[in-house]
Amino acid sequence: MSLLDPVWTSLLYLAAAVCFILALRGLSSPRTARRGNLVGALGALIAVVTVFLSARLDNIPWILAAIAVGSAVAAPVARRVKMTQMPQLVALFNGVGGGAAALVALLELAHSDNPWVRVAIVFTLLVGAVSFAGSGLTFAKLQELMTTRPVVFPGLPVVMSAVLLAAVAAGVAVVVTGSLPLAVLLLALGLAAGVLLVLPVGGADVPIVISLLNAFTGLAVAASGLVLGNVLLVVAGTLVGASGTILTRAMAAAMGRSVAGILFGAFRGGSTAGSTAVSDRPVRSSSAEDVAVLLGYAQRVIIVPGYGLAVAQGQHTAAELALALEARGIEVDFAIHPVAGRMPGHMNVLLAEANVPYESLKEMGEINPEFKTTDVALVVGANDVVNPAAKTSSGSPIYGMPILEVAEARQVVFLKRSMRPGFAGIENDLLYQPQTSLLFGDAKDSLAQVLGAVKAL
Amino acid sequence: MDGTALLTITVLAVFVGFEVVSKVSSTLHTPLMSGANAIHGIILVGAIIVAGQAADSWVLAVALVAVVLATANLVGGFVVTDRMLHMFHAKKDTAKARAVEPKGGGK
């Protein structure tokens, strides 16, 4: 028996849905983003309280215990994770959401006589499983539990086609028969498809795949809403599916590629042939003191941060260096590539953590014309986002990606750990140019040495 | 609710979803993705319904797994997004005080 009148139930679900719409709208503007997120959380709270008050539920102690377990695991992880590891955590949360949607659909199969409901169940099972397995694999790639390079084996397109055909056949069979073992088989095929989908995606493109899988999970949730006849799930899932699709396309555009190219580019071969060999061409390496002199007597310096800065936790030192240079009357800006870091917009989050003010963070379109009049471009742990191969070498995996035009600056200084190529696995010709010098070492240590030397000037 | 009403709602939600995020700047791509991620954790409502109607113990077991996973998605998603956005916020407040206290604030 329910405590709440069905009309009130519907109205409360409507209120939750409105909260989600406001949350997404709030999240698309910096001023309202945090409030938007809290409104979204409020909507979720309303919805969960409503389901307890309205539906006829058994096993309530068990359910509450499961909610407690889920919260007890997720909240501390979410609170403690390093900002640099944020992308893989987002991938993981997305995956478990997809997994939950697939399990809900599996259990609803027993109650479904309507073939249309079974179609929705089959869709949720397949998409949820793809999202779960695909997200798991992106997590492994970002956490560097496995190689970040595209993994392609000769029979991959054949295997992928076979899995998809089998999934379609199993899906049709489930719709016709409603058989549970076949549904479990479909789930397994979905998991395999998720793995096969993400394996050939190379490191730099992984964030876009996370966004795509996020949209997939939204669609799976919407379909499970159709199965359960729950309007809130339909609305929330559809919202995420639609906004996730837009976001995926925006991110892909920021990197100058198509979503299909990212997913299936590796199948065409050739495009993944990033060089792993280290060239033996000479480079000009430099000392911290040399770099400090270059910076200290410049008029205009642009710092180009990349993932190397993030892993070394060097953002605070970089912010201090910028302050020290500004104190000498030097104009300093940070040039932020849209995909610097491991996720679009990730670098902004990291530099915000170090209290670098908004005005100093310049986006690519804004800063690119300024490199020509810049004395020193200081590239800290970035490689792919400044690689001129993106403009000049049509065979390169990053060809077509808009880059920061560091090569235009009078002097370029790279702070790098080694000559190993970057995330995309390709060499950067800029390292061998006459105006370039390199300071080898951990980004944070190197920055601290340069900072010390600047202060001693 | 009948099929056409659900279809109407679905189609309208697609348009709202497209409209709401159509002009987002790349600065906010990551928090927006993470926030949308948290919202689909609302599958928790579905998982609770399935678990609450489970008669078999194995059905209950699978449903409870779904509840745990969905809760992790929902709670973790909102917490992570809030942490990310907190950094944008903290910076705004400390931007002026920054020259005095370069490493302070933010937490």
Side-chain angles (χ1 to χ4, degrees):
Chain A
M1 58 162 224
S2 59
L3 302 166
L4 216 55
D5 189 75
V7 173
W8 279 107
T9 305
S10 301
L11 288 177
L12 285 170
Y13 279 150
L14 177 65
V18 169
C19 285
F20 290 153
I21 294 171
L22 291 177
L24 283 177
R25 200 178 69 178
L27 280 162
S28 27
S29 156
R31 214 174 308 119
T32 54
R34 191 146 185 233
R35 203 177 344 135
N37 187 54
L38 293 177
V39 170
L42 176 70
L45 186 66
I46 293 174
V48 171
V49 171
T50 304
V51 72
F52 277 111
L53 294 181
S54 61
R56 186 193 58 80
L57 297 178
D58 302 324
N59 314 314
I60 286 184
W62 283 104
I63 297 172
L64 291 176
I67 291 176
V69 169
S71 311
V73 172
V77 173
R79 203 160 285 146
R80 271 189 228 126
V81 67
K82 283 195 214 133
M83 277 293 147
T84 44
Q85 294 177 326
M86 203 64 87
Q88 45 267 55
L89 192 66
V90 172
L92 204 61
F93 286 148
N94 179 52
V96 296
L103 292 181
V104 168
L106 187 69
L107 296 178
E108 274 300 297
L109 188 62
H111 309 292
S112 66
D113 305 320
N114 184 330
W116 289 110
V117 172
R118 283 189 192 155
V119 169
I121 287 177
V122 163
F123 180 83
T124 311
L125 270 178
L126 195 59
V127 176
V130 166
S131 194
F132 179 75
S135 300
L137 203 64
T138 52
F139 172 81
K141 284 195 176 199
L142 288 167
Q143 190 71 25
E144 306 200 359
L145 298 174
M146 60 176 288
T147 174
T148 56
R149 287 173 201 295
V151 177
V152 198
F153 51 89
L156 184 60
V158 181
V159 177
M160 186 71 178
S161 312
V163 168
L164 288 181
L165 280 176
V168 169
V172 171
V174 170
V175 170
V176 174
T177 63
S179 143
L180 188 62
L182 280 174
V184 173
L185 173 69
L186 182 64
L187 196 66
L189 288 167
L191 294 174
V195 170
L196 293 171
L197 186 74
V198 177
L199 270 182
V201 175
D205 291 333
V206 166
I208 295 170
V209 174
I210 300 178
S211 178
L212 184 70
L213 293 173
N214 195 25
F216 277 11
T217 305
L219 294 178
V221 169
S224 69
L226 292 176
V227 173
L228 293 164
N230 186 308
V231 182
L232 178 64
L233 294 190
V234 173
V235 172
T238 310
L239 276 177
V240 176
S243 60
T245 306
I246 291 274
L247 196 56
T248 307
R249 291 188 46 181
M251 287 179 181
M255 297 184 70
R257 24 267 288 314
S258 70
V259 176
I262 290 164
L263 287 179
F264 306 114
F267 285 139
R268 287 198 295 270
S271 69
T272 62
S275 128
T276 51
V278 173
S279 159
D280 53 2
R281 285 183 285 173
V283 294
R284 201 152 63 99
S285 66
S286 199
S287 71
E289 287 72 25
D290 295 338
V291 175
V293 169
L294 268 183
L295 294 173
Y297 294 99
Q299 292 188 321
R300 177 116 174 77
V301 171
I302 296 179
I303 300 177
V304 182
Y307 189 69
L309 173 93
V311 276
Q313 294 286 310
Q315 60 269 41
H316 294 281
T317 320
E320 275 188 71
L321 178 62
L323 274 182
L325 293 173
E326 278 166 1
R328 294 176 62 91
I330 302 161
E331 205 185 326
V332 185
D333 279 318
F334 286 83
I336 314 291
H337 190 276
V339 294
R342 282 291 186 266
M343 239 166 139
H346 189 201
M347 193 53 68
N348 301 71
V349 176
L350 295 172
L351 289 174
E353 188 192 12
N355 296 327
V356 176
Y358 268 130
E359 311 83 70
S360 302
L361 301 178
K362 298 271 178 74
E363 290 191 23
M364 184 169 61
E366 194 186 344
I367 197 105
N368 263 346
E370 296 183 26
F371 279 108
K372 276 196 264 324
T373 56
T374 295
D375 300 301
V376 188
L378 182 67
V379 184
V380 189
N383 193 9
D384 299 329
V385 297
V386 299
N387 192 339
K391 290 177 114 180
T392 55
S393 152
S394 59
S396 165
I398 62 166
Y399 183 68
M401 180 171 97
I403 55 159
L404 288 165
E405 286 160 7
V406 165
E408 304 269 319
R410 286 181 202 123
Q411 296 280 336
V412 181
V413 179
F414 275 88
L415 302 193
K416 276 177 78 66
R417 196 184 285 277
S418 70
M419 286 303 286
R420 235 186 58 186
F423 204 45
I426 40 171
E427 237 192 27
N428 190 344
D429 274 336
L430 194 55
L431 298 174
Y432 309 97
Q433 300 292 317
Q435 83 271 32
T436 303
S437 48
L438 286 93
L439 177 57
F440 288 110
D442 172 82
K444 190 180 182 180
D445 294 346
S446 298
L447 281 170
Q449 285 170 23
V450 172
L451 177 63
V454 166
K455 283 183 173 162
L457 279 177
Chain B
M1 186 171 295
D2 67 69
T4 43
L6 272 179
L7 185 66
T8 308
I9 290 169
T10 310
V11 172
L12 291 180
V14 169
F15 280 98
V16 173
F18 279 144
E19 280 306 312
V20 153
V21 304
S22 56
K23 289 185 290 282
V24 62
S25 90
S26 64
T27 312
L28 283 171
H29 279 170
T30 292
L32 182 61
M33 191 206 295
S34 172
N37 185 1
I39 288 174
H40 65 51
I42 199 62
I43 185 63
L44 176 59
V45 166
I48 290 173
I49 292 172
V50 174
Q53 293 168 350
D56 272 13
S57 54
W58 81 264
V59 172
L60 179 61
V62 175
L64 289 176
V65 172
V67 171
V68 172
L69 295 182
T71 309
N73 183 188
L74 191 69
V75 174
F78 282 118
V79 172
V80 141
T81 311
D82 188 60
R83 264 191 70 198
M84 252 186 247
L85 294 169
H86 181 66
M87 304 196 159
F88 282 89
H89 189 72
K91 182 185 53 188
K92 211 163 53 184
D93 292 345
T94 52
K96 284 186 204 120
R98 177 168 161 267
V100 186
E101 192 199 8
K103 284 183 87 172
K107 287 282 144 68

